Amino acid sequence: MKTWMIVLIVVAVVLIAIIAALYFLGKKAQKKQAEQQEMLDANKQTISMLVIDKKRMKLRDSGLPQMVIDQTPKAMRGSKLPIIKAKIGPQIMSLICDDKIFDSVPVKKEVKAVVSGIYVLDVKGLHGKADVQPVKKKGRFRRALEAAQEKAGAKPLK
């Protein structure tokens, strides 16, 4: 056999091993996430709260209880989380918001929220007209494309 054939076979075997490992790790992570979602759904309750502020901030700066910060894996402590400061009854609390609904949470409005522990799963407007529609941000490519079309005098895309 020639050396390039041996190299090609070794590379193919390594790629197959990597793909198999990723498949099984992904399956394990998917099962773990399904269990966590089931637990969140079992403990959810609807409460009324006044959203004071919302930000993406690091876990240690978020104002969450120290016990929550200690239980978080060290790799996650440096990442930014969507945090909501809300007045629930007489107390002001920091809550972690679901990434999917973070942009649609209205600030300085009273909302009905579905909460599981310190995790906000869903919000609905309560008083007045609820502007709970997410604002879709334009990506870098879309802005550059629109700027180029504007210079060319073409009609911008929607």
Side-chain angles (χ1 to χ4, degrees), residues 18-143:
I18 289 173
I19 290 172
L22 286 175
Y23 173 76
F24 288 114
L25 287 174
K27 211 169 191 183
K28 186 177 177 182
Q30 193 174 25
K31 187 186 287 185
K32 193 174 184 181
Q33 196 236 358
E35 288 174 7
Q36 289 173 346
Q37 189 64 39
E38 190 176 301
M39 199 159 78
L40 282 175
D41 289 341
N43 295 324
K44 69 181 179 182
Q45 57 188 5
T46 304
I47 58 172
S48 177
M49 66 183 187
L50 174 70
V51 178
I52 298 170
D53 191 22
K54 67 176 188 175
K55 288 183 188 171
R56 290 188 188 275
M57 50 181 32
K58 292 191 177 186
L59 196 62
R60 64 177 178 266
D61 303 330
S62 65
L64 291 169
Q66 188 62 39
M67 189 172 78
V68 173
I69 296 171
D70 292 342
Q71 289 177 353
T72 307
K74 290 196 191 272
M76 284 291 296
R77 290 183 193 171
S79 65
K80 291 188 174 186
L81 292 174
I83 303 292
I84 293 177
K85 281 217 186 293
K87 184 173 183 184
I88 303 170
Q91 342 179 242
I92 295 176
M93 296 178 66
S94 292
L95 303 168
I96 301 172
C97 184
D98 194 1
D99 237 352
K100 298 172 209 155
I101 64 158
F102 182 69
D103 292 329
S104 67
V105 175
V107 180
K108 295 193 169 61
K109 297 247 173 150
E110 193 167 345
V111 294
K112 274 211 185 271
V114 178
V115 178
S116 178
I118 61 166
Y119 197 72
V120 179
L121 300 170
D122 192 22
V123 292
K124 294 178 181 77
L126 185 64
H127 293 297
K129 186 173 180 190
D131 54 342
V132 188
Q133 297 299 325
V135 177
K136 190 170 182 181
K137 296 180 181 177
K138 293 182 183 176
R140 191 178 299 173
F141 179 74
R142 173 66 73 180
R143 286 193 307 259

